[in-house]
Every structure is written in structure tokens, then in C-alpha cells.
Amino acid sequence: MASITLEELHAYHAIDRSVFSRLVITLRRDPAESLLVMAMWLWLEEKGYPNIIAKMVNLSDPLLEALAGEAVLCLNCLGSKNPTIPPNGILPLTTRIMEKDVSLHMFYQNKFSTISGIKSFMTTVCSRIFTDILQHVVGSTSRVIPNQPLVIPGFPHSLFGSVTIVPRAMDHDFPIGGLWGWNPSNTVSEDDRTLFLTFSRGFPVSEDEIRELFTNIGVCVDSVRMQDNVPYGEQPLFAKMVLRSVANVDQILSGRPIAKFRINGKHIWARKYERRE
């Protein structure tokens, strides 16, 4: 299997590493928050905002600080159930740098795709390319154990979960599936693509009706798991629906915590599935 060394990975991501180093060393920003900021910027690049990080290299420290502050506004917006977003919600500095509108509305309307994308870049890219920089930063406040994951205060994160960051030698090989390797869409968990559906008592809904409803609005349904162990003579009151992509979740919810649908005179309520331990 093809592989890439850590040294080659550092060279490929030299610009990203330079900006991250300025955030956590020069500007002394929080390491966990800065990891999320970088992951968000990398996700934006994949979504059609090219070279956003390269455009930051020659910015002054105050401007970079302000850009990071706008990114944190986005992260906070994603973590809020009812965010307060100004009428246009435009991020002025990010918009100026990108030369096209970037707004809080854009992030919140695509909330679950954005969260999933940030998590993906955290685990597949950021956890590998910033290790030595993080080791330098957190090593000054806590003990670093060779070949053991770094302890990054702020993780596990309430929204983005945990990230494992292990210091490696520069000749360490990472397997890749293609050029430079990782496709973030391959790392989306089933839970990230799942909606929880509820029904009204007395108005039984079938799996076929669920599939018909959501297929007709243009989403791809992978599976529907109706409530099991339903007492004889009673109806299922809920189901879990796994979609083909996390983008389908945003398509259905459209920035709302709960979306209401109707088929054959029966109501279906949909919300994001959250696993309960």
C-alpha cells in the first residue's frame, strides 16, 4: 500500500503549519480551539473557498487574530441550539479575504455537514500535521510521554468529540489511498447521518411510507429501523433513519432543530439522532 512519511506530510502542509504555529505560539491562542479553527478553514477550502489559509500567510498578527475570532463565532454558532444571528450574518473580514460572501447563516443551514467536515479534518489531517507544534505548546504545561497521545485541554469537546494526537518520528509512514491520501467523506459515522423520527399515536406510519416521503423530497435513504418490541396491537411511535450522506440531514432539517412532514394524512417529526450512552 502506498504511504507518505511525516516529513513529506509536513512539507505538503507547510502553509497550514505556519498559520497554526502563529495562532498557538505567536498569538498564544488556545490549542484546542485553534485546532478546530484550522479544521474549519481546511473544510472551507474543500467546499469551494480555495487557498483561504494561503491568503493568511502575509497577514499581520492583528488581522490573523481577527480572522480566528470570526472562525470561533462560527464554531459557537454550530454549538448553539438557538444562535442569535444578525440579519445578514456576514463575516466581514473572512468575506473580504475570500472575495465572496461567508456568513453564519451558511454554516448554520449546513450545520451537520460542517460539524462532520470539521471532525473529519481534525482526525485525518490536523491530528497528524500539527503534532510537533502541539507538543511544544502543551509540553510547557504538562508532561509529554513518548508514543502516547498528547493531552490537549479542551478535548473531548462537547460538539466535536475527541481527537487522538500521537507524536511520531519524521520517517513514520502513513498509509494513503490516493494522492496525499484522505477523503474526509469516508470518515462520516453512521450516527452523523442518522435522523430520529417520531409519529402520532393513533396514526401508524409504515417503513414504506417513510421511504416514499423522503425519497420524494430528494434524499437517499440507506435504512429505516422501526421501533422494535412493540406490544401486540400497538404501533411503532419512533424510528431511526440512516441517510446516504450527512448533507441529506441538513437538506431535511434546513437549520431547524425539528422538521415536520406529512404523508397520507399522518405527521412525521424529524430531528438529529443523538446516541445516548
Side-chain angles (χ1 to χ4, degrees):
M1 180 181 292
S3 64
I4 180 174
T5 67
L6 182 59
E7 185 175 13
E8 291 170 324
L9 201 56
H10 280 187
Y12 184 71
H13 287 281
I15 290 174
D16 307 321
R17 285 170 49 78
S18 172
V19 170
F20 181 71
S21 180
R22 288 177 65 193
L23 290 176
V24 296
I25 296 176
T26 306
L27 298 176
R28 297 180 179 273
R29 293 186 65 90
D30 178 76
E33 184 181 83
S34 297
L35 276 170
L36 292 171
V37 166
M38 291 299 301
M40 192 189 83
W41 285 337
L42 287 165
W43 176 79
L44 273 176
E45 288 192 343
E46 187 189 69
K47 302 307 289 185
Y49 292 81
N51 304 318
I52 182 172
I53 299 175
K55 293 175 180 178
M56 300 177 189
V57 170
N58 294 321
L59 295 180
S60 67
D61 287 343
L63 278 177
L64 181 60
E65 178 94 65
L67 268 175
E70 289 189 349
V72 171
L73 282 178
C74 296
L75 296 172
N76 292 339
C77 177
L78 294 171
S80 173
K81 292 189 181 298
N82 295 292
T84 301
I85 300 177
N88 63 15
I90 292 293
L91 301 171
L93 186 54
T94 307
T95 293
R96 195 174 91 197
I97 295 294
M98 292 310 304
E99 299 178 349
K100 59 178 170 177
D101 287 349
V102 182
S103 71
L104 291 174
H105 289 289
M106 179 188 81
F107 284 93
Y108 203 70
Q109 289 292 316
N110 299 281
K111 175 177 179 176
F112 297 104
S113 298
T114 306
I115 292 171
S116 179
I118 291 171
K119 286 165 62 175
S120 176
F121 275 102
M122 279 286 297
T123 57
T124 62
V125 180
C126 295
S127 66
R128 292 164 171 161
I129 67 174
F130 301 138
T131 305
D132 58 326
I133 301 170
L134 287 166
Q135 195 170 6
H136 172 78
V137 173
V138 304
S140 63
T141 58
S142 62
R143 185 172 169 225
V144 175
I145 303 173
N147 298 317
Q148 294 296 314
L150 296 179
V151 176
I152 310 295
F155 288 105
H157 190 275
S158 59
L159 184 63
F160 298 100
S162 59
V163 60
T164 302
I165 300 175
V166 181
R168 305 288 189 187
M170 292 298 283
D171 60 356
H172 179 84
D173 286 325
F174 292 101
I176 58 176
L179 182 62
W180 306 105
W182 306 286
N183 181 350
S185 63
N186 292 338
T187 64
V188 177
S189 71
E190 183 175 288
D191 283 358
D192 287 338
R193 297 180 284 115
T194 301
L195 288 174
F196 188 74
L197 310 177
T198 55
F199 322 120
S200 297
R201 191 178 297 275
F203 297 88
V205 176
S206 69
E207 178 178 338
D208 286 344
E209 286 176 314
I210 292 171
R211 288 182 176 274
E212 177 187 347
L213 169 66
F214 290 103
T215 299
N216 285 343
I217 63 175
V219 301
C220 296
V221 178
D222 266 359
S223 65
V224 177
R225 299 164 192 169
M226 305 295 289
Q227 177 188 1
D228 54 12
N229 300 320
V230 179
Y232 179 76
E234 296 189 16
Q235 68 172 87
L237 293 175
F238 61 84
K240 290 196 300 182
M241 180 172 66
V242 182
L243 301 169
R244 184 66 49 83
S245 75
V246 69
N248 289 156
V249 175
D250 287 316
Q251 184 179 345
I252 289 170
L253 295 180
S254 191
R256 298 165 292 181
I258 299 175
K260 183 179 179 180
F261 300 91
R262 183 184 177 98
I263 185 169
N264 299 330
K266 295 173 282 192
H267 291 121
I268 297 177
W269 288 266
R271 61 179 171 82
K272 182 66 178 64
Y273 171 71
E274 296 179 6
R275 182 176 294 277
R276 303 190 186 281
E277 301 299 336

